[in-house]
Amino acid sequence: IEADLVFDVRFLPNPYYIAELRHQTGLDQGVWDFIFGYQQTRDFMKHLEGLIGFLLPLYVEEGKTSLTIAVGCTGGRHRSVAVAHALAEAVRQEGYPVGEVHRDLGRI
């Protein structure tokens, strides 16, 4: 409810179903490698980064001082965490300040 933009990444392959990855998170290398090992993830990120890169200067121009971007998946521990972290890094590289919160990361 507090998000300005929401992206659902449940279409990406789910590492939850890989026993050795189930208890890891999207910040762990194994999960990261699994998710970003798929071309569809890399293609999605290219489009998402392009969209956000297009929108951010327009929001700034309109006087918006903050923008909350939410990324969701089924459990909130794997795909959404990895994608949100990658997006946060891309936005940081463009020179924007970023706060990164993974709401459900500690959920079991």
Side-chain angles (χ1 to χ4, degrees):
I1 195 166
E2 64 276 356
D4 297 300
L5 302 171
V6 179
F7 297 95
D8 177 354
V9 295
R10 290 176 293 175
F11 62 90
L12 297 175
N14 193 346
Y16 176 84
Y17 297 108
I18 309 297
E20 60 269 15
L21 301 178
R22 178 172 296 153
H23 299 292
Q24 295 182 26
T25 75
L27 299 176
D28 292 312
Q29 193 63 51
V31 171
W32 183 273
D33 291 345
F34 176 85
I35 293 169
F36 285 92
Y38 287 88
Q39 186 64 46
Q40 67 196 52
T41 305
R42 296 187 302 273
D43 290 345
F44 172 71
M45 288 306 301
K46 179 180 173 186
H47 290 292
L48 181 59
E49 290 171 12
L51 175 62
I52 299 304
F54 170 76
L55 291 174
L56 286 176
L58 298 174
Y59 281 124
V60 170
E61 185 178 309
E62 285 298 313
K64 189 151 180 64
T65 58
S66 68
L67 182 73
T68 301
I69 302 171
V71 181
C73 64
T74 306
R77 295 181 37 85
H78 298 106
R79 296 167 291 181
S80 61
V81 171
V83 168
H85 183 67
L87 181 59
E89 285 300 314
V91 171
R92 277 186 198 100
Q93 288 181 7
E94 292 299 315
Y96 294 95
V98 175
E100 184 177 341
V101 176
H102 301 287
R103 186 187 73 184
D104 295 330
L105 195 60
R107 227 177 56 170
I108 297 197

